[in-house]
Amino acid sequence: MHLYPVEKSLQLFPFSCGSAAPTVSLLFRVWLPLCLFLRRIITTQAISSFGGLQLLNGPSVADQGKLTARERILLLLDPDSFDEYDMFVEHRCTDFGMDSSKNKYPGDSVVTGRGRINGRLAYVFSQDFTVFGGSLSGVHAQKICKIMDQAAMVGAPVIGLNDSGGARIQEGVESLAGYADIFLRNVLCSGVIPQISLIMGPCAGGAVYSPALTDFTFMVKDTSYLFITGPDVVKSVTNEDVTQEQLGGAKTHTAVSGVAHRAFENDIDALLNLREFFNYLPLSNRDPAPVCECHDPSDRPVPELDTIVPSESTKAYDMLDIVHSIVDEREFFEIMPTYARNIVVGFARMNGRTVGIVGNQPKVASGCLDINSSVKGARFVRFCDAFNIPLITFVDVPGFLPGTAQEYGGIIRHGAKLLFAFAEATVPKITVITRKAYGGAYDVMSSKHLRGDVNYAWPTAEVAVMGAKGAVQIIFRGKEADAEEEYVDKFANPFPAAMRGFVDDIIQPSTTRARICHDLDVLASKSQSSPWKKHANIPL
Amino acid sequence: MFTWETLCSRWCLVTSHKLYSSVYDPNEKTFEKLLIANRGEIACRVIKTCKKMGIKTVAIHSDVDANAVHVKMADEAVCVGPAPTSKSYLNMDAIMEVIRKMGAQAVHPGYGFLSENKEFARRLASEGVTFIGPDTHAIQAMGDKIESKLLAKNAKVNTIPGFDGVVKDADEAVRIAREIGYPVMIKASAGGGGKGMRIAWDDEETREGFRFSSQEAASSFGDDRLLIEKFIDNPRHIEIQVLADKHGNALWLNERECSIQRRNQKVVEEAPSTFLDPETRRAMGEQAVALAKAVKYSSAGTVEFLVDSSKNFYFLEMNTRLQVEHPVTECITGLDLVQEMIRVAKGYPLRHKQADIPINGWAVECRVYAEDPYKSFGLPSIGKLSQYQEPLHVPSVRVDSGIQQGSDISIYYDPMISKLITYGSNRAEALKRMEEALDNYVIRGVAHNISLLREVIVHPRFVQGDISTKFLPEVYPDGFKGHKLTDLERRQLLATAVSLYVVEQLRSQRFLGTPRIPIAKSKRSSWELSVHLGDGIYPVAVSKDGSSFSVEVDGMKLNVTSEWNLASPLLSVTIDGTQRTIQRISRNASGETSIQFLGTVYKLQILTKVAAELSKYMPEKAAEDTSSILRSPMPGTVVAVSVKPGDMVSEGQEICVIEAMKMQNSMIAAKTGKVSHLRSLKTICNLSNRIEFKKEKRRILVVKELSLIVVSLSK
């Protein structure tokens, strides 16, 4: 239990208790009321800091394996760095006996404020499930909006720790208005400051759209749920039997729906990981990607890369092996590791500087692009572009996945998102073709033609319209037997692309890290703009 | 002008093994081109000497080995077939074809594969290609257990006295036993291995043993023959290296002590042996040479002996090839055995006399395997060596390996990573260096047996030289569990781990450049942490003083200093004046970290005091119940399935047998139940470690990385 320190609240008052000996009249006229008043402040703060825990019959968070709202803030932020806002705010509802003193909690069902994560500023709200199930009242929304406004103004990220039963039903439309106020701010802040949601309990109904609008949504395994309608409603409407976990648990959203970006074991694990994740992000779109102290030499050769791509082009390898060996200290914060695994996205550092990594994963579905992987990649690329994070793309893509399921699902429209995102991005873009770069997918994957700044090919690269077998069948209608070899000679190598300047250099794989680090240093001062527009019209 | 070849050979001259001094005489004519019919470290080892001698080399490889180190080292390389050894490294037709095509004049077979295959030697001879090894006659004679024993007896080599045949009655058994001398071992001749073996120390026990064994022989095998043999108590495995030429000269190059074994495979070898006195050594050497001369042996060979506690030695077998552990002999004698083998094969007489063969210093070899030593002293593991760094910066260290960072350890071949050899002027020095070398050896991506090796070489019994072939099961009767930390070592580990944690925390607050919003600089210089290690939770207080840390554990203060390079795989730390090399294997944001300390990897979780207090409210997640699922502990091929769906099986019953890396493992049911289904799958593991599943008629199980459900048991 983290109590607001009494000494700190005393500092709010510029009066010194130990000044000159008070006269009797001074005592009665000033000190006594002040003492009573001070007592009220301190008591209110104490009550607020207990949230709903003061009620013996309140729901016990410990039994559910959850931490309280304040404990979460305590773990998320640097020690003694939290400055709380609106501790005295109370809800204004008078219906259904809500105006009775036992239904009033100073601070209401959310704790808001600002603090530091590894010394860097962050705004935080943490919903308090112990007060009316963390339900969203008008003032609850007002408190969140206040810190969001200030965060946008100052240029610092907002982190939401969501644990709320939904709207405060007693407040009716006031609660809905509160949601909309938050949504609007989520949208206005999008691309201005990073917004992160960590779902640490239920989050249902309209409330889910706030996390959905933020840049990253993380979940806690087994204790958090996200859904539009709960299992009971589902049963009554579609007669489906489904559990909370199946419908909107961490596994569902990280592996099936792609709503959440990552899930963690428990509250502590999630908060500690969030601290680490925060270090990759710039504070706002006005700031460059952060550069940390790095012990890993930027020119470190990576000998294993010379043999990592199998000699047979049909054999798979793990793109994560390449990523881990190239980035600083093998540390890679993967985003959506269990969703659309045929593309790998995530944050890492190169010589200390945050970079966004995008890579086709030959180990899963040959690394082809399909609907899910295109959308996953596109959103990540756009985040990096919005927040000045350089993009490094590793290409081994046999093309887009064919089939009715994909065509009916709109692969054209969804694939266009990734193309759009890469083309539109003006951050430094470095591309390494490790093996296949076939067909339209070659163009999509941060090619030279989409304003790639530095495009490398490994000696194993094959840049062609399609695989040799298919190409020969079309060109010669199967009449030429040795034409396949000719096609392989001509296109299954990086020369045709290099001769035309579509790749800048064919590099020894073991030098990739050194080359990229060097390029990033040069490209740090890159400036590129697109024609004026209100906003682009990405094919949603 | 430099050509690539001369550059390579010059490079090899500079960097070749420091630890032998055989001189190469450039005027001595030798082969022009030599093919190495092997892979891995031994192929690399042979190529190194060939480069020194100016011989062109041809490597052969299977398709998964296309990028292997031996292929890159050789002047030319040819693929001889797919991954399974029977289709590549044992494929004589394909190898003969390569020899013809590439015009190789000689073949070095290394060890294993075709090295003791008389058919291969014969085919080479018929095509006029020199086999670098003894002639067919010697291979054949020594390859046959009975014939070799007979030959040894005739050459007056001590053999294990024994009797094999029908024993009429107990009195006769006693008579035979007395002739041999107690203790004796009695068993049915037909019974394999140690099955039904009884040890008798006196006449009474002999009678009893006779009764049981003859009954068993008749009932179980229907074969009355009994084997009565001298029982060698606590035997040591000591072998003599011999070197002979085609002119009737033979030398013994001293012994190698190879007693530390698991499942009859050697793990730690050394030369010389602590156990032999000069007389015994000479007696063993002379008998070995006598045997070599008796079979007209030429080339390098090894005569293996069992030595009992009173220094009686008995011939076991002769290996007609270069041994895995030959480097220890090279270290103490200064001879390059591969070079000598090539010279002998070319027909040159030996350049040395017996008196020229020294014992210079002491050499120890550890076989570093990709295997998990916590499971029956080593079950093979596979994977990619994501990080690999040999401890060559430690003085007097030789590493014979055929892999590099990024190499795959596959299921098809021996899981040996390397042979780590250290040398010193005496045993203590060699062992000290071995300790240091093992600590400085970086192997990531696969399980390895460094922890076991390090424990063995510092074990008091090993240090005193009190070893036998039963060393491992005797010292670790319940299996190897890793290093047991003393209180001091535990404090050192905790202090190092928390210091690293604090260094990491402090670094994560250091951003370069001038940020728009100033960073709140923490002035914190002390931390209260809680560390979870094993079953214990330890409160630890850390305070920083420059680059060193003062850590309070269990009320004791420790001072930790280091350079604190968080990217280096090796970290040299000084704890209260004691220098330790540790390796931080992993860390994550949740405070979990694993650290290799004194060879063993320890898992720790470091949390702040607040987080540790709150962590007791976190839900405990139930571990998955795996008792009803049978998982293979390693990837391999199912060679036999003993159950079918619907069968009832009881706990401990064998369900199938998996073969992986030359080892058969019986898979046992963890609980009683009914087999609900079996999957029929086959694996093909290729270079990139992808596993493809193919339906086959035969029930074959396979396994990706660690687990594939094979059988489900239901009540």
Side-chain angles (χ1 to χ4, degrees):
Chain A
M1 194 70 246
H2 176 57
L3 273 173
Y4 198 75
V6 173
E7 317 86 67
K8 201 162 180 180
S9 50
L10 281 170
Q11 286 164 13
L12 294 171
F13 291 86
F15 308 102
S16 165
C17 295
S19 61
T23 59
V24 175
S25 68
L26 200 64
L27 186 77
F28 280 94
R29 276 179 40 225
V30 182
W31 284 117
L32 204 61
L34 189 61
C35 285
L36 291 171
F37 186 55
L38 260 179
R39 205 184 71 179
R40 189 175 154 202
I41 293 171
I42 293 163
T43 322
T44 318
Q45 282 173 336
I47 292 170
S48 171
S49 62
F50 273 107
L53 284 178
Q54 56 192 295
L55 294 181
L56 286 175
N57 56 357
S60 161
V61 280
D63 291 349
Q64 299 170 352
K66 301 199 309 194
L67 299 180
T68 65
R70 274 165 209 283
E71 285 166 346
R72 286 168 179 166
I73 287 175
L74 185 67
L75 287 182
L76 176 65
L77 300 177
D78 293 347
D80 303 326
S81 74
F82 182 52
D83 293 319
E84 189 172 346
Y85 291 11
D86 294 337
M87 201 185 231
F88 301 96
V89 165
E90 288 178 357
H91 71 76
R92 295 183 291 257
C93 182
T94 51
D95 302 318
F96 309 108
M98 288 293 280
D99 52 348
S100 83
S101 64
K102 76 170 176 25
N103 279 337
K104 292 265 189 182
Y105 297 90
D108 208 45
S109 52
V110 67
V111 182
T112 59
R114 59 156 202 257
R116 301 275 173 167
I117 295 176
N118 288 319
R120 300 198 308 153
L121 183 63
Y123 284 81
V124 184
F125 69 84
S126 175
Q127 294 177 319
D128 188 347
F129 198 75
T130 62
V131 178
F132 298 116
S135 62
L136 188 121
S137 63
V139 292
H140 180 139
Q142 186 192 317
K143 281 179 76 172
I144 293 175
C145 290
K146 187 191 265 181
I147 61 147
M148 288 181 76
D149 287 340
Q150 202 172 91
M153 215 155 57
V154 172
V158 173
I159 297 172
L161 309 179
N162 297 57
D163 188 0
S164 159
R168 182 83 49 88
I169 299 169
Q170 295 91 331
E171 292 198 6
V173 72
E174 173 131 21
S175 172
L176 298 183
Y179 274 129
D181 290 341
I182 298 173
F183 298 158
L184 175 69
R185 279 161 182 83
N186 282 141
V187 173
L188 294 178
C189 291
S190 181
V192 179
I193 48 170
Q195 300 179 75
I196 305 162
S197 301
L198 177 53
I199 317 297
M200 309 188 86
C203 182
V208 298
Y209 285 108
S210 178
L213 290 168
T214 59
D215 298 302
F216 293 100
T217 304
F218 299 118
M219 291 180 80
V220 178
K221 286 180 192 166
D222 303 324
T223 50
S224 73
Y225 308 99
L226 265 170
F227 35 66
I228 300 277
T229 46
D232 297 342
V233 182
V234 169
K235 173 78 181 162
S236 67
V237 177
T238 66
N239 205 26
E240 273 177 289
D241 277 313
V242 67
T243 63
Q244 277 197 345
E245 185 62 39
Q246 288 165 340
L247 188 62
K251 205 171 171 188
T252 305
H253 286 312
T254 51
V256 183
S257 73
V259 166
H261 295 86
R262 230 171 127 161
F264 301 104
E265 284 306 318
N266 56 45
D267 281 12
I268 294 176
D269 191 33
L271 293 161
L272 293 177
N273 275 283
L274 194 52
R275 277 178 69 85
E276 182 137 317
F277 175 67
F278 188 81
N279 260 18
Y280 285 103
L281 307 181
L283 294 185
S284 74
N285 61 352
R286 287 179 260 168
D287 300 293
V291 185
C292 286
E293 186 184 296
C294 170
H295 295 172
D296 205 354
S298 64
D299 57 353
R300 169 171 57 88
V302 194
E304 67 265 37
L305 294 183
D306 289 337
T307 54
I308 202 162
V309 177
S311 43
E312 284 141 85
S313 69
T314 48
K315 277 188 181 168
Y317 58 95
D318 193 345
M319 189 57 87
L320 283 171
D321 285 343
I322 294 184
V323 174
H324 282 137
S325 60
I326 285 181
V327 302
D328 289 357
E329 295 172 27
R330 308 181 66 83
E331 299 235 328
F332 178 55
F333 193 96
E334 195 175 350
I335 299 293
M336 300 177 112
T338 50
Y339 179 78
R341 292 191 299 126
N342 39 350
I343 200 164
V344 171
V345 301
F347 296 103
R349 294 191 180 89
M350 292 295 276
N351 203 15
R353 180 183 280 110
T354 299
V355 291
I357 306 266
V358 181
N360 307 110
Q361 173 59 287
K363 224 175 82 171
V364 181
S366 309
C368 71
L369 289 175
D370 58 6
I371 294 173
N372 290 347
S373 60
S374 300
V375 174
K376 170 179 168 183
R379 181 145 176 86
F380 181 76
V381 168
R382 294 195 96 213
F383 175 83
C384 291
D385 186 40
F387 292 102
N388 314 316
I389 297 172
L391 281 164
I392 298 172
T393 311
F394 294 99
V395 184
D396 185 350
V397 63
F400 282 97
L401 183 66
T404 50
Q406 291 291 312
E407 294 292 356
Y408 294 173
I411 178 69
I412 299 176
R413 193 160 51 86
H414 296 294
K417 291 177 184 172
L418 186 58
L419 172 61
F420 197 108
F422 269 125
E424 168 193 51
T426 56
V427 287
K429 288 188 282 191
I430 298 171
T431 309
V432 181
I433 302 175
T434 60
R435 194 166 61 179
K436 291 173 213 159
Y438 286 170
Y442 153 72
D443 286 338
V444 170
M445 293 303 293
S446 195
S447 63
K448 197 79 196 163
H449 324 284
L450 303 183
R451 303 195 285 183
D453 294 306
V454 186
N455 292 55
Y456 292 122
W458 283 2
T460 41
E462 306 166 17
V463 187
V465 176
M466 55 172 67
K469 207 171 171 186
V472 169
Q473 267 172 11
I474 294 171
I475 301 173
F476 298 103
R477 304 262 164 236
K479 280 173 201 150
E480 288 273 332
D482 38 332
E484 191 174 323
E485 211 165 295
E486 192 192 332
Y487 194 89
V488 168
D489 267 3
K490 264 211 165 84
F491 291 113
N493 62 62
F495 282 104
M499 282 189 305
R500 289 163 179 80
F502 300 157
V503 301
D504 300 301
D505 200 357
I506 302 170
I507 59 168
Q508 183 79 11
S510 52
T511 62
T512 310
R513 172 175 165 85
R515 300 289 289 248
I516 294 177
C517 285
H518 199 164
D519 292 331
L520 286 171
D521 283 345
V522 173
L523 289 169
S525 58
K526 175 187 176 184
S527 138
Q528 189 171 43
S529 57
S530 303
W532 185 91
K533 56 183 101 173
K534 187 175 174 194
H535 63 70
N537 188 14
I538 188 165
L540 292 174
Chain B
M1 208 191 97
F2 282 124
T3 62
W4 176 242
E5 283 79 19
T6 57
L7 263 177
C8 279
S9 58
R10 288 185 66 157
W11 176 80
C12 275
L13 273 180
V14 179
T15 59
S16 62
H17 307 127
K18 294 171 274 188
L19 303 180
Y20 47 65
S21 54
S22 271
V23 210
Y24 159 60
D25 175 6
N27 298 319
E28 198 175 79
K29 212 170 161 312
T30 182
F31 302 105
E32 268 161 31
K33 197 185 250 188
L34 186 144
L35 179 137
I36 298 104
N38 215 308
R39 66 181 297 282
E41 67 89 15
I42 194 62
C44 298
R45 163 73 189 86
V46 174
I47 293 171
K48 274 180 190 161
T49 290
C50 288
K51 296 212 166 188
K52 188 173 75 171
M53 297 175 74
I55 304 173
K56 279 195 187 129
T57 49
V58 183
I60 58 163
H61 63 89
S62 65
D63 54 10
V64 296
D65 273 346
N67 281 325
V69 177
H70 75 278
V71 173
K72 286 186 201 158
M73 273 179 80
D75 298 311
E76 291 165 297
V78 185
C79 180
V80 288
T85 50
S86 59
K87 290 177 185 155
S88 49
Y89 296 103
L90 292 174
N91 184 347
M92 270 190 249
D93 293 335
I95 296 172
M96 293 308 298
E97 184 58 43
V98 174
I99 293 168
R100 279 192 289 271
K101 205 175 86 190
M102 308 304 285
Q105 296 167 341
V107 172
H108 197 297
Y111 53 75
F113 295 134
L114 297 170
S115 61
E116 288 171 293
N117 188 311
K118 56 179 188 287
E119 171 63 13
F120 184 58
R122 194 192 56 73
R123 281 179 73 168
L124 287 175
S126 71
E127 302 215 8
V129 178
T130 312
F131 176 78
I132 303 197
D135 61 18
T136 349
H137 164 72
I139 299 177
Q140 176 165 11
M142 289 299 135
D144 186 308
K145 283 227 156 113
I146 297 170
E147 198 186 334
S148 67
K149 221 169 172 182
L150 219 66
L151 263 166
K153 227 175 203 168
N154 293 341
K156 303 216 162 50
V157 176
N158 301 355
T159 49
I160 299 174
F163 173 87
D164 190 356
V166 181
V167 182
K168 276 199 305 248
D169 51 31
D171 289 337
E172 193 183 348
V174 169
R175 189 179 53 77
I176 295 168
R178 279 187 189 160
E179 235 167 61
I180 296 169
Y182 287 110
V184 295
M185 175 209 67
I186 308 169
K187 67 169 200 167
S189 292
K195 207 176 166 193
M197 187 177 96
R198 285 181 182 80
I199 313 295
W201 293 82
D202 53 36
D203 292 356
E204 194 51 43
E205 285 177 10
T206 307
R207 285 171 200 283
E208 198 176 307
F210 169 77
R211 205 172 66 241
F212 280 116
S213 295
S214 53
Q215 270 170 13
E216 191 182 63
S219 62
S220 305
F221 307 108
D223 179 346
D224 292 341
R225 284 182 308 141
L226 286 186
L227 179 69
I228 304 179
E229 208 176 67
K230 173 96 178 167
F231 174 70
I232 298 159
D233 185 27
N234 276 331
R236 284 168 179 257
H237 179 121
I238 297 177
E239 60 191 27
I240 299 285
Q241 175 74 51
V242 294
L243 184 62
D245 63 17
K246 292 178 176 169
H247 306 279
N249 304 313
L251 302 171
W252 48 274
L253 307 182
N254 301 316
E255 77 282 7
R256 289 187 290 258
E257 163 84 72
C258 313
S259 295
I260 307 291
Q261 305 184 343
R262 54 120 176 75
R263 297 189 308 266
N264 294 323
Q265 270 187 303
K266 298 161 191 167
V267 186
V268 179
E269 297 108 341
E270 61 184 312
S273 165
T274 51
F275 190 60
L276 295 194
D277 48 54
E279 291 74 45
T280 320
R281 177 174 299 126
R282 188 176 326 109
M284 287 173 76
E286 278 166 2
Q287 289 197 5
V289 163
L291 179 63
K293 284 185 171 162
V295 285
K296 297 201 171 57
Y297 195 88
S298 69
S299 192
T302 300
V303 182
E304 296 190 342
F305 291 99
L306 281 184
V307 184
D308 71 11
S309 43
S310 25
K311 290 186 186 155
N312 297 315
F313 57 91
Y314 305 98
F315 169 74
L316 203 59
E317 60 176 347
M318 180 170 185
N319 295 316
T320 56
R321 55 173 157 85
L322 190 65
Q323 293 275 91
V324 178
E325 59 274 20
H326 74 273
V328 289
T329 300
E330 294 185 331
C331 286
I332 61 159
T333 59
L335 289 173
D336 178 341
L337 286 176
V338 175
Q339 187 187 336
E340 299 302 328
M341 283 174 86
I342 295 173
R343 284 188 72 253
V344 165
K346 187 71 188 169
Y348 293 108
L350 296 174
R351 291 179 296 189
H352 302 84
K353 299 269 166 302
Q354 187 62 52
D356 302 339
I357 306 301
I359 299 184
N360 281 332
W362 211 286
V364 184
E365 173 183 283
C366 283
R367 295 196 193 182
V368 181
Y369 280 102
E371 57 183 24
D372 182 355
Y374 302 104
K375 294 178 188 156
S376 51
F377 300 114
L379 276 191
S381 81
I382 59 157
K384 189 184 275 294
L385 287 165
S386 57
Q387 271 178 295
Y388 181 76
Q389 194 178 307
E390 292 172 354
L392 294 170
H393 53 285
V394 179
S396 296
V397 166
R398 165 172 164 184
V399 184
D400 278 17
S401 68
I403 45 109
Q404 60 187 5
Q405 186 157 310
S407 291
D408 271 308
I409 306 286
S410 75
I411 62 167
Y412 297 110
Y413 310 113
D414 189 78
M416 190 159 82
I417 294 173
S418 76
K419 302 184 305 204
L420 177 62
I421 303 112
T422 57
Y423 175 78
S425 56
N426 53 47
R427 190 166 184 258
E429 195 180 298
L431 288 178
K432 193 75 215 150
R433 282 176 181 158
M434 179 59 80
E435 215 178 301
E436 200 183 333
L438 287 168
D439 281 341
N440 281 278
Y441 206 144
V442 180
I443 304 168
R444 308 278 167 84
V446 294
H448 55 75
N449 65 340
I450 297 268
S451 53
L452 176 67
L453 294 171
R454 201 187 184 284
E455 280 306 281
V456 169
I457 61 149
V458 301
H459 195 278
R461 265 189 66 184
F462 182 84
V463 172
Q464 285 159 21
D466 173 20
I467 52 177
S468 74
T469 52
K470 293 179 193 143
F471 179 84
L472 288 178
E474 273 172 14
V475 172
Y476 308 104
D478 306 319
F480 180 64
K481 301 264 193 311
H483 178 73
K484 275 208 174 58
L485 292 172
T486 62
D487 281 350
L488 175 69
E489 287 165 351
R490 198 195 65 235
R491 283 195 290 273
Q492 290 179 338
L493 171 62
L494 290 172
T496 312
V498 294
S499 302
L500 264 171
Y501 172 88
V502 170
V503 169
E504 184 91 44
Q505 291 293 316
L506 289 173
R507 186 178 67 157
S508 64
Q509 297 169 10
R510 280 201 289 275
F511 294 89
L512 309 181
T514 26
R516 190 176 46 83
I517 302 176
I519 290 166
K521 286 264 185 292
S522 152
K523 291 192 183 63
R524 210 164 158 198
S525 63
S526 66
W527 291 262
E528 281 191 53
L529 302 168
S530 164
V531 189
H532 202 136
L533 166 66
D535 297 329
I537 294 175
Y538 305 93
V540 181
V542 193
S543 55
K544 187 176 187 290
D545 177 23
S547 70
S548 73
F549 290 90
S550 169
V551 184
E552 202 179 317
V553 198
D554 303 343
M556 311 266 252
K557 263 211 158 77
L558 290 93
N559 188 283
V560 189
T561 50
S562 170
E563 283 182 20
W564 305 119
N565 182 327
L566 295 172
S568 160
L570 292 171
L571 196 69
S572 171
V573 204
T574 310
I575 313 153
D576 281 347
T578 317
Q579 194 275 332
R580 299 261 187 228
T581 301
I582 65 139
Q583 300 186 28
R584 189 167 63 156
I585 309 291
S586 68
R587 71 158 283 276
N588 65 17
S590 321
E592 285 158 359
T593 178
S594 48
I595 291 176
Q596 184 177 322
F597 180 73
L598 299 170
T600 297
V601 177
Y602 295 93
K603 287 199 168 99
L604 304 98
Q605 188 175 24
I606 305 169
L607 290 173
T608 58
K609 209 176 155 195
V610 183
E613 260 166 45
L614 292 174
S615 67
K616 59 174 174 273
Y617 300 116
M618 292 297 101
E620 287 208 6
K621 311 227 163 162
E624 188 194 359
D625 177 22
T626 52
S627 65
S628 60
I629 298 167
L630 187 63
R631 281 182 177 170
S632 172
M634 75 210 135
T637 314
V638 174
V639 289
V641 178
S642 348
V643 294
K644 53 185 186 297
D647 281 2
M648 287 300 295
V649 292
S650 52
E651 193 181 320
Q653 188 177 333
E654 179 186 286
I655 289 187
C656 63
V657 179
I658 294 166
E659 192 177 281
M661 298 192 233
K662 294 164 41 180
M663 248 185 71
Q664 293 211 343
N665 291 275
S666 169
M667 301 286 299
I668 284 163
K671 72 174 185 192
T672 303
K674 192 171 160 186
V675 178
S676 63
H677 70 281
L678 274 170
R679 285 202 226 166
S680 316
L681 296 165
K682 179 183 168 79
T683 181
I684 299 155
C685 184
N686 64 21
L687 227 187
S688 64
N689 200 11
R690 183 177 68 171
I691 310 258
E692 293 161 8
F693 296 103
K694 268 195 192 164
K695 280 214 159 144
E696 276 227 341
K697 278 182 192 154
R698 221 151 43 112
R699 285 202 201 91
I700 291 193
L701 134 98
V702 179
V703 188
K704 196 193 160 175
E705 278 150 29
L706 278 177
S707 57
L708 172 101
I709 301 167
V710 190
V711 182
S712 312
L713 300 176
S714 57
K715 278 269 166 180

